[in-house]
Amino acid sequence: MKAYFIGGGIGSLAGAAFLIRDGGFAGDDITIFEKLPLMGGSLDGARLLDGSYSLRGGRMLTTDHYECTWDLLSSISSLEHRTQTVRDETLAFNVQHKANSRARLVDRNRFKVDVTRMGFTMRDRTELFRLTEASEELLGNSRITDWLSAPFFETNFWYMWQTTFAFQPWHSAVELKRYLHRFMNEFPRIETLGGVKRTVYNQYDAIVRPLMNWLEERNVRFVHDARVTDIEFVDGGAKLSAGRLVLDIGGKGSTVSVEDGLVFFENGSMTDASSLGSMTSPPERLTKADSHGWELWEKIAAGRPEFGNPAVFNSSIPESYWASFTITCRDSRFFDQMEAFTGNVAGTGGLVTFKDSNWLMSVVLYHQPHFPDQEKDVQVFWGYALHPDRVGDFVAKPMSDCGGAEIMRELCGHLNFDPAIFEKASCIPCRMPYITSMFMPREKSDRPLPVPPNCSNLAFVSQFVEIPDDVVFTVEYSIRAAQMAVYELLKIKRPVPAITRHDKSIRVLIDTIQKAFA
Ligand SMILES: Cc1cc2nc3c(=O)[nH]c(=O)nc-3n(C[C@H](O)[C@H](O)[C@H](O)COP(=O)(O)OP(=O)(O)OC[C@H]3O[C@@H](n4cnc5c(N)ncnc54)[C@H](O)[C@@H]3O)c2cc1C
């Protein structure tokens, strides 16, 4: 049997690995089609031609969750330490570099906010409790603002939770409820980010490259610049079966018969239509009309409600976009001053959020080097803003109209640092119009199951599938979807690792209540 993956993100790479490791597939029977020139999807990280580095995102993982991720990475060898798996290498790294933020929120006067208290009133607690305990049926496609009153959005808790996980007040109440349950054990330590685990390097080098290497060693076929434009179905009686893929490979049309094979489709991408700017220019404003990234899902879901409803996720860029930036420093001045200000050595602090900033800007200083090829005097950090459409405090423009130099000026304003500190640095802005599309309010039926019940050989593997109790905007969600899909289609007996129910632990519940009332 052959297997075909549409999309080369972590969901597909994981799916291919599960097919080989647990399903007995030969690597050369697996093909991965990716419309972009590189595999890895949203897990990117690269050095640009001018020597600046760029990351669309930086990931926080945990070891108390991410069950399927660690299961996968426990089979993948590290590229630098060949006798170690990526899982063991990452765990060892985190023993040495423990997260313990000392400057999680900074206010407009550059004070480090005392975040030991969540800042709740009794009304905030009651409303939050009501949302946490409401059933998903009751929450339906309501928004967070339908459940929580305006003062809640000024609490320390909201600033920290929102910026750790990238929520907006208008996002799905169901998703917030799921996060509160799934990450309940993070709540009592949210101000230190004590549960967060980091990868040794950026996630392209730390996760994607070792996984690609493992798949390449087993002869998996990767086809770049290959967009699947249609899946033609064969009506096989009771069940629908994918019969043919229609492809555009580097501008040339072709088809592949998949009738006797399995098809795994990455329906939708949070980084679709993203674009990079430069020091002097903002990123271009692209949309799905430019990227064609959602077309295939839209096409096959038309008239097939079991394949979900992409329009719910991709129709409102103002509600689903934000912007990030990567700064490459060529001397240590910024890192030195930040370490002195925050009290955190780079790699131990996590997000520093300027809570009063118009753009709602956060930065995170990773352990260095963050890229294996980084030169000694180079230091790289990442930041993002949840409101890039608002005029800045120190630059009279929305961030989305700013080049990198203006973003660095705004950052210096919030820190009261002399902008000359960045005279040797470069900043690459990145616009992501669909970055929180998976948090948009939705009904349960708006996302397909990993294997829709009426499909014999088609699975969905992405952030836009329905997995009970798990939370989107995580690497784990895509890997779990892949593991579920592979195991179901191949009827593999080995269980998919269960979601750890910290919200059922008495200890966690007591700690959570104590924290909420502190
Ligand atoms: C800024 C940012 C911060 C993040 N922070 C965290 C974090 O802290 N913790 C965490 O766990 N996760 C985080 N994530 C989320 C995590 O990176 C993603 O959930 C995960 O990488 C998604 O993987 P995926 O394989 O499902 O999708 P993607 O990586 O989006 O890959 C899908 C791929 O499919 C391709 N594709 C789609 N349609 C077609 C087609 N028709 N033909 C060919 N190719 C197609 C796309 O081009 C894309 O490359 C973050 C992501 C970003 C961007």
Side-chain angles (χ1 to χ4, degrees):
M1 192 183 266
K2 310 256 185 220
Y4 303 89
F5 287 86
I6 304 173
I10 188 72
S12 287
L13 302 179
F18 290 129
L19 280 179
I20 296 170
R21 190 191 75 177
D22 303 329
F25 258 66
D28 32 23
D29 286 331
I30 301 174
T31 305
I32 301 182
F33 297 112
E34 167 56 56
K35 76 183 176 71
L36 300 175
L38 263 189
M39 297 286 157
S42 302
L43 294 184
D44 68 321
R47 183 177 172 139
L48 306 181
L49 288 177
D50 72 350
S52 305
Y53 288 92
S54 168
L55 309 152
R56 281 179 296 196
R59 275 107 212 144
M60 292 172 274
L61 311 178
T62 72
T63 39
D64 290 337
H65 316 85
Y66 288 75
E67 301 83 0
C68 298
T69 306
W70 299 121
D71 179 37
L72 170 71
L73 298 180
S74 65
S75 302
I76 307 301
S77 303
S78 145
L79 291 179
E80 279 192 353
H81 310 104
R82 295 297 292 186
T83 55
Q84 261 186 332
T85 66
V86 173
R87 175 184 174 276
D88 293 344
E89 178 192 53
T90 313
L91 296 192
F93 174 80
N94 280 281
V95 169
Q96 289 186 346
H97 307 280
K98 285 195 195 317
N100 182 21
S101 170
R102 292 161 189 260
R104 181 64 190 84
L105 299 181
V106 175
D107 74 7
R108 63 166 54 81
N109 296 316
R110 220 190 74 158
F111 279 123
K112 289 183 248 175
V113 178
D114 174 3
V115 281
T116 48
R117 296 206 171 92
M118 297 294 102
F120 292 141
T121 60
M122 207 53 213
R123 180 176 171 180
D124 296 327
R125 292 186 192 102
T126 313
E127 289 181 349
L128 191 60
F129 181 73
R130 212 177 281 147
L131 187 157
T132 314
E133 290 310 303
S135 68
E136 293 202 0
E137 289 68 33
L138 182 65
L139 292 167
N141 63 357
S142 63
R143 295 172 187 268
I144 297 169
T145 42
D146 293 332
W147 293 83
L148 301 166
S149 306
F152 176 85
F153 299 97
E154 295 296 325
T155 58
N156 284 344
F157 168 77
W158 175 249
Y159 281 116
M160 290 190 281
W161 199 263
Q162 162 178 46
T163 52
T164 303
F165 300 117
F167 273 104
Q168 301 278 19
W170 51 83
H171 282 154
S172 158
V174 169
E175 276 324 318
L176 180 61
K177 176 207 155 118
R178 284 196 183 197
Y179 261 79
L180 290 165
H181 279 272
R182 179 79 154 120
F183 290 122
M184 194 173 283
N185 62 324
E186 300 307 329
F187 176 85
R189 54 185 176 184
I190 187 70
E191 76 276 22
T192 64
L193 295 169
V196 169
K197 301 290 184 291
R198 297 283 180 182
T199 51
V200 177
Y201 296 117
N202 69 85
Q203 291 77 54
Y204 183 76
D205 286 303
I207 296 178
V208 173
R209 278 185 50 233
L211 184 49
M212 291 271 299
N213 183 64
W214 192 91
L215 296 170
E216 275 161 1
E217 283 174 352
R218 286 156 183 82
N219 298 323
V220 170
R221 208 173 134 237
F222 296 98
V223 189
H224 306 258
D225 298 301
R227 183 163 71 90
V228 177
T229 56
D230 202 1
I231 304 173
E232 293 175 355
F233 290 94
V234 187
D235 200 347
K239 293 224 171 186
L240 206 57
S241 150
R244 222 156 67 124
L245 302 185
V246 182
L247 283 135
D248 175 334
I249 305 185
K252 282 203 182 131
S254 63
T255 59
V256 180
S257 170
V258 295
E259 213 163 329
D260 298 324
L262 301 176
V263 176
F264 298 85
F265 173 32
E266 296 214 279
N267 56 311
S269 168
M270 64 177 73
T271 49
D272 186 56
S274 57
S275 52
L276 298 184
S278 68
M279 279 288 278
T280 49
S281 327
E284 206 182 334
R285 290 169 185 251
L286 304 179
T287 74
K288 61 178 181 160
D290 303 293
S291 66
H292 308 286
W294 300 82
E295 266 175 30
L296 181 59
W297 187 18
E298 289 171 341
K299 197 180 273 182
I300 66 167
R304 296 192 185 97
E306 66 282 7
F307 289 176
N309 183 7
V312 162
F313 303 102
N314 67 19
S315 300
S316 182
I317 291 176
E319 291 178 294
S320 70
Y321 105 101
W322 46 255
S324 67
F325 55 91
T326 311
I327 298 188
T328 305
C329 302
R330 294 181 181 81
D331 59 43
S332 67
R333 279 181 290 169
F334 182 78
F335 270 63
D336 291 345
Q337 287 202 29
M338 272 302 274
E339 290 185 348
F341 168 62
T342 59
N344 276 117
V345 173
T348 65
L351 286 166
V352 177
T353 293
F354 303 98
K355 71 176 263 293
D356 299 323
S357 61
N358 285 346
W359 295 352
L360 194 46
M361 200 181 204
S362 304
V363 293
V364 45
L365 270 58
Y366 304 117
H367 173 77
Q368 303 294 310
H370 198 49
F371 288 83
D373 67 349
Q374 213 173 295
E375 277 137 27
K376 231 172 168 239
D377 53 348
V378 170
Q379 293 172 312
V380 180
F381 72 98
W382 179 84
Y384 87 108
L386 275 168
H387 298 307
D389 49 343
R390 297 181 184 169
V391 171
D393 299 275
F394 299 91
V395 174
K397 274 183 179 181
M399 181 183 171
S400 45
D401 291 344
C402 289
E406 291 161 313
I407 293 172
M408 292 197 292
R409 187 141 49 87
E410 177 77 13
L411 178 58
C412 285
H414 290 292
L415 284 163
N416 212 4
F417 286 177
D418 180 348
I421 204 169
F422 281 137
E423 62 197 356
K424 289 192 189 165
S426 50
C427 171
I428 304 295
C430 172
R431 176 185 167 86
M432 294 176 281
Y434 303 104
I435 182 67
T436 56
S437 50
M438 59 285 154
F439 279 165
M440 291 297 285
R442 52 154 181 92
E443 299 284 356
K444 188 172 182 191
S445 58
D446 291 327
R447 308 191 293 187
L449 292 172
V451 182
N454 64 338
C455 285
S456 60
N457 68 343
L458 173 67
F460 292 83
V461 169
S462 74
Q463 296 287 304
F464 302 88
V465 296
E466 176 57 31
I467 301 176
D469 301 322
D470 209 358
V471 292
V472 287
F473 213 151
T474 59
V475 171
E476 171 70 8
Y477 204 82
S478 303
I479 297 180
R480 181 172 291 279
Q483 197 163 12
M484 287 171 71
V486 167
Y487 284 23
E488 186 172 339
L489 284 173
L490 296 186
K491 300 188 172 48
I492 292 172
K493 290 278 180 292
R494 183 178 186 266
V496 173
I499 288 174
T500 316
R501 296 306 303 254
H502 297 288
D503 56 340
K504 305 278 184 216
S505 149
I506 301 289
R507 182 72 259 161
V508 169
L509 288 169
I510 292 171
D511 289 349
T512 300
I513 291 166
Q514 274 178 350
K515 190 76 187 184
F517 281 86

